[in-house]
Amino acid sequence: MPDITPPPASGPSDEDLAARLAHARHPRSNHYDARWVVANQMGPNALWLLEWLAPALGLDALRPGARVLDLGCGRAMTSVFLAREYDAQVTAADLWIAPDDNARRIAEAGFADRVLPVRAEAHDLPFAEAGFDAIVSIDAYQYFGTDDLYLPTLTRLLKPGGRIGVVVPALREELAGDEPPEHLERWWEPDWWCFHSAGWWRRHWSRGGAVEVEAADWQPDGWRDWLLWCEVIAEESPEQWHRESAAKVAEALRADGGRTLGFVRLVGRRT
């Protein structure tokens, strides 16, 4: 299969980029070509976030051959990661990236037999009930999962006892009022109102009765990883829009310094 580990450096810039993104807490992610990850990103470093999620999700949910729905998979990097690292059978579902585009990327990575790309909207998922051992969503669930009625509908796709695990951009604490923090006001985007704290997400998932919440925690120093990633994307992304967006988020993260913005992971078991 095509090598998606860092190849012998073709130049100092590739070598420097790989070194800059080498992360002690995410050793599995270090084995992926840094240029490939940069080129296929659609937000925060999805491989880092998935590697943080996986231990909380548990090896039972990610055992070899497990059927996993990767919901909001973007350009399918996380789907390739799940297939490669855990030998899972992955359904890579996304609304915005065409299945043919993801199919090409998945085949080039050597996992066409284990990752199936599909186009799907989060509220209209064309899958049978109880068909998945696990559902994973990285930097996507916040856009549709704040609806009180969404989780019970989604978890019907899980086998009894199956697990759902998500990582979302989040707030350290819920905001006190209806205005963004003063120190972030100049950068605040309307869609950041879907960011919530770990406590908010735990209550949101617990009260519906669809899952038993097994984890809802804040990532220590997650904002530093986010800032590093944004700085890299602002310099290295081949897409101008991504460079500009990352530069703006980096400014906000520097101004915030970890007071407000970061990441939360959630894991629930279908009851």
Side-chain angles (χ1 to χ4, degrees):
M1 71 178 184
D3 188 9
I4 56 175
T5 62
S10 59
S13 62
D14 288 351
E15 199 170 61
D16 291 345
L17 179 62
R20 189 176 181 187
L21 291 176
H23 202 304
R25 292 199 307 274
H26 308 306
R28 291 177 185 259
S29 300
N30 294 338
H31 294 296
Y32 291 74
D33 177 17
R35 291 285 174 197
W36 183 80
V37 179
V38 166
N40 292 303
Q41 62 83 35
M42 294 182 68
N45 190 315
L47 300 190
W48 288 352
L49 297 179
L50 178 53
E51 191 164 354
W52 177 51
L53 172 65
L57 196 60
L59 292 178
D60 183 52
L62 296 178
R63 66 186 182 276
R67 293 198 62 205
V68 179
L69 171 61
D70 187 1
L71 183 58
C73 68
R75 290 174 172 153
M77 288 197 301
T78 46
S79 303
V80 168
F81 188 96
L82 289 163
R84 186 185 191 206
E85 303 299 326
Y86 300 102
D87 198 21
Q89 292 287 333
V90 186
T91 299
D94 198 83
L95 177 62
W96 303 112
I97 304 300
D100 287 349
D101 186 13
N102 274 342
R104 173 187 54 76
R105 197 166 13 258
I106 292 163
E108 288 172 352
F111 293 96
D113 61 332
R114 278 184 271 172
V115 180
L116 174 66
V118 300
R119 189 188 295 278
E121 201 279 326
H123 297 87
D124 186 21
L125 297 173
F127 309 120
E129 292 193 11
F132 293 102
D133 298 291
I135 298 172
V136 167
S137 184
I138 303 297
D139 185 31
Y141 192 84
Q142 70 275 14
Y143 294 120
F144 44 79
T146 57
D147 183 334
D148 288 341
L149 302 179
Y150 185 73
L151 184 65
T153 300
L154 177 63
T155 52
R156 292 173 186 166
L157 304 182
L158 284 173
K159 297 175 182 178
R163 286 179 170 84
I164 176 172
V166 309
V167 178
V168 291
L171 304 176
R172 185 181 288 272
E173 302 290 344
E174 287 298 297
L175 301 180
D178 295 329
E179 298 296 329
E182 185 174 351
H183 68 283
L184 290 174
E185 190 171 4
R186 62 177 290 197
W187 297 285
W188 195 265
E189 295 286 348
D191 58 2
W192 290 10
W193 290 113
C194 70
F195 296 175
H196 290 286
S197 66
W200 187 95
W201 281 109
R202 179 180 286 277
R203 290 191 300 274
H204 183 61
W205 275 24
S206 296
R207 62 190 177 190
V211 298
E212 176 186 348
V213 178
E214 297 183 330
D217 54 347
W218 173 262
Q219 185 179 37
D221 280 341
W223 73 274
R224 297 183 188 276
D225 291 351
W226 196 357
L227 174 57
L228 170 60
W229 182 246
C230 285
E231 290 172 341
V232 169
I233 295 303
E235 298 169 10
E236 303 290 344
S237 175
E239 299 173 83
Q240 181 177 352
W241 183 87
H242 280 150
R243 293 196 301 271
E244 294 173 351
S245 177
K248 181 178 179 180
V249 174
E251 289 181 4
L253 291 167
R254 289 189 203 100
D256 185 53
R259 286 178 283 173
T260 309
L261 299 172
F263 297 102
V264 160
R265 68 179 170 187
L266 296 141
V267 173
R269 182 178 61 84
R270 182 180 177 183
T271 53

